Amino acid sequence: MDMKLELVPVPVTDVDRAKNFYVGQVGFNADHDHRVSPELRFVQLTPPGSACSVVIGEGITDMAPGSQRGLQLVIDDADAAREELLSRGVEVGDVDEQPWGRFLYFADPDGNTWALQQLPPKGGTASV
């Protein structure tokens, strides 16, 4: 049986501010922005190259804004990703070198946190 993760909720306080951050600064694609009812606004955003999207909006989740921690994206080049995010105004730390990859970390305006991982070369010395 195949199971594919396709949509992850990210709780935010201001949908437009969050959408502007994820699309305008981080570079996600804006797939949908629909006001379904007065209580429900569905905004689907997808990282470039990803089969999984995030959803922000109103009436989407009962998680507290900023409580989604440690979402992770895989990238090709941590140094290039860091420079691009910095150039777009995203506060991102230095590259964190680990045996299992090179990492970057940032948070959205509500404090939801993200990690970007550059995987180690295949056949490297990383252990499980």
Side-chain angles (χ1 to χ4, degrees):
M1 167 175 51
D2 286 346
M3 293 186 201
K4 298 176 183 176
L5 182 63
E6 293 195 6
L7 192 65
V8 175
V10 176
V12 300
T13 54
D14 182 320
V15 178
D16 292 317
R17 177 182 72 174
K19 181 179 175 185
N20 288 336
F21 174 78
Y22 283 110
V23 174
Q25 291 183 261
V26 182
F28 285 18
N29 298 308
D31 303 321
H32 304 287
D33 186 342
H34 297 288
R35 169 69 64 187
V36 179
S37 70
E39 302 82 29
L40 181 61
R41 179 178 174 192
F42 181 88
V43 181
Q44 181 175 323
L45 310 171
T46 304
S50 179
C52 184
S53 301
V54 298
V55 60
I56 60 175
E58 298 167 14
I60 298 296
T61 181
D62 61 358
M63 290 188 296
S67 65
Q68 185 65 282
R69 314 298 280 173
L71 292 168
Q72 185 165 310
L73 301 169
V74 173
I75 54 174
D76 289 329
D77 183 332
D79 298 306
R82 181 176 186 275
E83 291 306 314
E84 184 170 340
L85 290 172
L86 286 171
S87 75
R88 293 175 174 210
V90 176
E91 292 183 27
V92 60
D94 293 333
V95 176
D96 178 18
E97 302 274 351
Q98 298 294 328
W100 51 90
R102 304 177 75 227
F103 293 83
L104 298 172
Y105 303 97
F106 70 90
D108 73 10
D110 286 292
N112 297 297
T113 63
W114 291 82
L116 304 180
Q117 180 187 21
Q118 176 185 335
L119 296 171
K122 294 205 185 278
T125 59
S127 60
V128 177

